[in-house]
Amino acid sequence: MTKTVEYQDGDVQLTSRNPLRGTLMLVGDDDEDFQLDLDKFAAEELVGVLMEFLMQGEGGDMPSIAIGRG
């Protein structure tokens, strides 16, 4: 059974720097909390697919963020 969850403005809670690991809390339709465990690989993959999603926006829904290295 598929559950629908949503991100509600929380920070990633760092649990380890080496290896890099953390958790992100999500909330389900029934207000149940879900913990998304992240490592470096999962976080990089998630950022990539989220950027691909954002790039699909058109007009007023085009991405409004800029990413660069200083």
Side-chain angles (χ1 to χ4, degrees):
M1 180 174 161
T2 301
K3 295 254 185 187
T4 301
V5 296
E6 106 181 3
Y7 170 69
Q8 294 190 340
D9 258 355
D11 292 333
V12 173
Q13 298 299 311
L14 185 67
T15 57
S16 172
R17 291 187 184 275
N18 190 7
L20 186 59
R21 295 183 189 270
T23 58
L24 182 64
M25 295 306 296
L26 305 171
V27 178
D29 288 337
D30 55 1
D31 291 330
E32 184 179 356
D33 289 336
F34 290 87
Q35 180 176 305
L36 177 62
D37 294 325
L38 297 169
D39 60 12
K40 180 180 179 277
F41 176 78
E44 288 175 342
E45 290 291 315
L46 182 58
V47 167
V49 298
L50 289 173
M51 289 305 297
E52 288 177 19
F53 168 74
L54 286 173
M55 297 310 293
Q56 300 301 313
E58 296 179 350
D61 273 341
M62 289 184 68
S64 58
I65 61 173
I67 298 174
R69 291 186 159 196

